[in-house]
Amino acid sequence: MLQARSSDASLIAHAGRSYFPIAFIARLPFAMMVVGVLTLVVASRDSVALGGINSAFVGIGSAIFGPMVGAAADRLGQRKVLVPVGIANGVLLGVFPLVVQSTAPDLAVLAMSFCIGASAPQVAPMSRTRLVAIIRQRMAKDRHEKVLSGTMAYESAADETVFIIGPFLVGLLASAIAPWVAVAGAAALTFVFVTAFALHPTGRLAVGQQAEVVQALARQLLRPRLVVVVVGILGIGFFFGSTLTSLTAFMGTHGESSQAGLLYGLMGIGSAGLALGSAAFPRSFGVGWRWLVFGVVLLGGAIAFASADSVVAVGIVLAVMGIGIGPTLVAQYSLGSDRSPVGRSATTMTILGSAVIVGQSLTSAVVGEVAERSGTQAAMLFPAISAAIVVVAAVVNLLLSRRS
């Protein structure tokens, strides 16, 4: 159990010093799945199209079953759900390289990819749920707003960092050793760190919170003010997948495709920094307006990315786009937390987390096909389209907020 502490104690003191590193590493496999499956299938079956379809199936599996995992955690508690789900996912990831490299039909590989996505441990949304529960139950009310803002900033920065590090690790392990090593590494991380996260004492606190309230009806998850946040964060997922895939195609035309992951990492520097700095924004700069302003920054960078014609120019543009991503994610997750129906916090956060990986996987498949058929320049238009979705959703969010 969590030790009783003063309401003036820090969030780190309430959660425990081991919590944050465990929760951070435990979410890495989720960020490695889409790219790891894509890389392994392409290398083993020599088909970019098949690799893209498999990465899409990972996202589809996560989209269908991810919210169910969150709903089960809301009802049964995170520990009872995460332990078996994590073990199942680790086994599937461990077996996947054997199936891909065997003579098994492509349909069997697709089924495995779907199951990997379906069993993906939803660590990031469950971490947010735990920390929000700690803040609301264990900390003084006059500290809630400030600590919640800082917590959402950290969690968004952590998500952004792992979605940069994940593809980077996959590329590094695949090029340095073998493509199957990246998927096997994700399996090992799942067994060790997802289990450690599931068994951490903070997992019990969320159960106590849910036991004290009556769950809102599931249809409240379809309220327009929450749906618009899901659409906005889906746009971020589209952006991640289209940017990484089109960047890989661009670097391939320059004979340096293996360095795409390193260049992609430039986007994470400004993103993580601005995400963490979001807690310092004045209250007058509302969350909805932050989403719009930094979404426009993202869109401007994506438009410049579509016309960049040198590696140096692309690197500069990626750094600018990173400035827009972090604060936008913080704003979206903060709104999602505020608008979560009573008793369905884990479900809401899981839907938001699933939207990112669904968007990433779908655009990875689509943009990869476009790059092969129509060329790199056509593929590099997709990040701008994705960013436009983020901006339009931000405008709709402001309109809905004004009406309410």
Side-chain angles (χ1 to χ4, degrees):
M1 294 292 291
L2 291 175
Q3 294 182 357
R5 294 184 183 276
S6 167
S7 61
D8 294 328
S10 68
L11 182 60
I12 294 177
H14 280 291
R17 293 185 180 277
S18 65
Y19 176 80
F20 288 95
I22 290 173
F24 181 84
I25 299 174
R27 69 183 80 192
L28 261 176
F30 192 78
M32 296 171 67
M33 287 177 189
V34 173
V35 181
V37 166
L38 173 65
T39 303
L40 178 59
V41 172
V42 171
S44 301
R45 304 244 164 170
D46 195 26
S47 172
V48 176
L50 181 62
I53 294 173
N54 272 273
S55 67
F57 266 58
V58 174
I60 293 170
S62 177
I64 295 174
F65 286 92
M68 295 183 187
V69 172
D74 278 331
R75 184 171 297 276
L76 304 174
Q78 292 189 12
R79 186 170 291 185
K80 292 180 180 179
V81 174
L82 268 179
V83 171
V85 167
I87 292 174
N89 188 250
V91 170
L92 288 167
L93 285 169
V95 173
F96 187 71
L98 301 177
V99 175
V100 175
Q101 296 175 342
S102 70
T103 57
D106 292 343
L107 188 61
V109 179
L110 287 171
M112 285 283 293
S113 296
F114 179 84
C115 292
I116 287 172
S119 62
Q122 306 292 329
V123 172
M126 292 193 189
S127 175
R128 285 180 172 84
T129 301
R130 292 188 192 188
L131 296 178
V132 169
I134 291 173
I135 293 168
R136 290 177 175 169
Q137 294 183 34
R138 299 296 180 90
M139 304 183 78
K141 287 187 177 181
D142 59 352
R143 300 178 62 200
H144 284 187
E145 183 177 350
K146 182 177 181 180
V147 179
L148 275 171
S149 177
T151 300
M152 290 299 111
Y154 164 77
E155 286 288 308
S156 297
D159 279 347
E160 171 61 19
T161 303
V162 297
F163 272 102
I164 296 295
I165 293 176
F168 175 79
L169 282 177
V170 170
L172 183 64
L173 292 172
S175 59
I177 307 175
W180 66 267
V181 176
V183 178
L189 289 173
T190 299
F191 280 126
V192 176
F193 288 95
V194 172
T195 302
F197 176 80
L199 298 178
H200 193 274
T202 53
R204 295 179 178 175
L205 186 61
V207 177
Q209 179 194 31
Q210 301 305 328
E212 296 170 4
V213 299
V214 178
Q215 278 192 334
L217 297 176
R219 65 169 178 264
Q220 291 194 27
L221 293 167
L222 299 177
R223 290 180 298 182
R225 294 179 71 235
L226 182 56
V227 170
V228 73
V229 178
V230 176
V231 173
I233 209 164
L234 180 66
I236 293 292
F238 288 155
F239 179 83
F240 282 149
S242 59
T243 301
L244 180 58
T245 306
S246 59
L247 176 62
T248 302
F250 175 83
M251 295 300 289
T253 62
H254 288 73
E256 299 174 339
S257 58
S258 62
Q259 297 184 19
L262 297 175
L263 201 60
Y264 186 69
L266 291 174
M267 196 164 60
I269 298 173
S271 178
L274 265 293
L276 289 171
S278 295
F281 289 145
R283 294 181 60 182
S284 57
F285 187 18
V287 177
W289 285 103
R290 295 177 201 174
W291 176 0
L292 178 59
V293 169
F294 286 100
V296 170
V297 172
L298 183 64
L299 177 59
I303 292 172
F305 176 78
S307 59
D309 57 0
S310 69
V311 175
V312 174
V314 165
I316 294 173
V317 170
L318 286 170
V320 172
M321 290 194 295
I323 294 173
I325 293 175
T328 301
L329 273 174
V330 171
Q332 291 169 335
Y333 274 117
S334 296
L335 289 170
S337 175
D338 290 342
R339 298 172 183 178
S340 171
V342 175
R344 294 190 179 273
S345 177
T347 308
T348 302
M349 290 301 177
T350 302
I351 291 172
L352 295 179
S354 295
V356 175
I357 197 169
V358 168
Q360 182 189 34
S361 60
L362 290 178
T363 50
S364 294
V366 172
V367 176
E369 189 70 20
V370 170
E372 279 197 358
R373 293 180 178 272
S374 304
T376 301
Q377 287 301 315
M380 293 176 72
L381 293 172
F382 279 80
I385 297 172
S386 304
I389 294 173
V390 175
V391 172
V392 170
V395 173
V396 173
N397 172 69
L398 287 173
L399 293 174
L400 289 174
S401 298
R402 182 168 296 181
R403 287 182 181 179
S404 63

